[in-house]
Amino acid sequence: MIVTDVTSTSDVEELATRMRNLAVMPVYTEEGEVSVEVSSSISFSNATDGFAVLLADASVHIYESESSNLPAVDGTTAMLAAQNDSNDYVNASDVLRHAIEDNTISVLYQPIFDVNTKHITSLDTIVRVHDEKGRTLAPYFVTAEAHRLNMSVQLTLDVLETCVKDMTAFRKVAPELDIVDICLNGPELGASIFHERLEQLTHEQPQLRFGLQLGSHAIHVAHDEVDDEVADLAALPNVELGLTNAGTTYSEVAAFAHLPLDFARFDKTVVRDFRTPRAKQIMQRTLEISRDNDAFHVVFDGVETLDQVEFIRSIGGTFAEGTLLSNAMNANEFLMRLETMGTSLPEAAPRQAE
C-alpha cells in the first residue's frame, strides 16, 4: 500500500495498527478456531529514493516483523504445522541456542553522530540472529530468550569478539573511530569469564573503548547483587558504563545516583515525543546531569526528522542516532560506507512517507 499526503510518521503507524487489528480476526474451521497473525513493515521515502528502494526496504523489514511472532507460536499451531508436513513452524528458541553455541550471530552497527560536527563519534550495536529461511529474530526476543536459556554471558562474549574483529577493520579506514557500545543483559555483571575477557581485551586493544549499556534487568542485578563487580568493570581502562532506555519506566532513574555511569541513551519513544512537556522535561533534566559531570554524555536515539535534530541542538544536546542520520548496517556495508564517505554525514533531505 502506498500512502501519500500524510503529515507525520505517527499517522502511518496508526493506520498500520488499525489494519493489523482488523486483519487478525480468527478463522473458524472444522478443526476449530485458527488464530491469525499479521506481519507488516513501513518504509519512508526521501527526495532520492524511488518505489523500488521502498519495496526492497519493506522486504527486509517484513522478516523482522514476521520473526517477532515466532516466540509466540503455540502448541496448537505447531501441531497443525506438523500434521500438514509444514516447514513454516520454526522453534525460535532452538534457532537462538544453536546460533549462540556455534557463534553464528551477526552484528549490525548504528552510527552515532555529533549533530554539530556531523561526524560519526561511535557505534551502537544490534544483535542479529537468522533462522534457516533468512528471517530475523526480533532483537528484544534475542536478549530475553538468551537470558531465559542462561546464555546471556556467551551471547555477549560472542558480540564482543565480533565487535573487536570488525572494529579492527573499520579503524584501518577511519582510525579516529574507537568506541563501540554493547548491551548487557545482567548475568554478565557477575560472570568472571566476562570480566576476565574484557580486561584482557582492554590490554590487547588499548586503542578501543567499550561502552557497556545496562538495560532494565541489568540495572536490577547491579543494584541488588553485584555492586563490587560493577565497580570493577567501571575501573577497567577504556570501559564506560551507560544506561539504555533512559526516560522510560525501565530506565530506573535512581541508577544515576547508585551506579558509576558515563553515559545515557534516551529511549526512542522519548525522542519521538520531544514536543510533549514530559519528554522535554526528562531530556532537559538528563542533560543538566550531564553538564554537572563533564565525563557524562547523553545520546538521543530514534532521530527520524530534522525537527528532532533542531530540538536536540536547541537544548544543548550533541550525540544522536536514528534513521534520519543513518540506518544500521552490517560490517561489510559499514566498511564500504567508511571507504566512500568517511565518518562525515552528508546533507540529507527530510524523509517523508510514501
Side-chain angles (χ1 to χ4, degrees), residues 112-115 121-122 181 213 240-243 246-247 256 261-267 270-271 282-301 303 311-312 315-321:
I112 299 172
F113 286 86
D114 183 319
V115 295
T121 61
S122 57
D181 294 341
Q213 302 181 80
E240 298 180 350
L241 292 184
L243 180 69
F256 287 115
L261 297 175
D262 300 291
F263 66 94
R265 172 173 277 97
F266 285 123
D267 189 84
V270 177
V271 179
I282 289 171
M283 288 186 278
Q284 289 172 331
R285 175 56 184 147
T286 307
L287 280 176
E288 289 174 6
I289 295 173
S290 174
R291 295 187 189 104
D292 292 339
N293 182 353
D294 292 338
F296 187 89
H297 64 273
V298 178
V299 178
F300 294 77
D301 192 4
V303 175
F311 168 76
I312 292 169
I315 63 174
T318 303
F319 304 107
E321 63 177 292

Side-chain angles (χ1 to χ4, degrees), residues 21-42:
N21 290 341
L22 290 171
V24 295
M25 301 298 290
V27 176
Y28 297 93
T29 72
E30 294 180 356
E31 299 296 328
E33 180 181 310
V34 178
S35 62
V36 178
E37 293 176 341
V38 175
S39 298
S40 64
S41 70
I42 303 172

Side-chain angles (χ1 to χ4, degrees), residues 38-52:
V38 175
S39 298
S40 64
S41 70
I42 303 172
S43 298
F44 296 94
S45 75
N46 55 36
T48 59
D49 290 343
F51 290 143

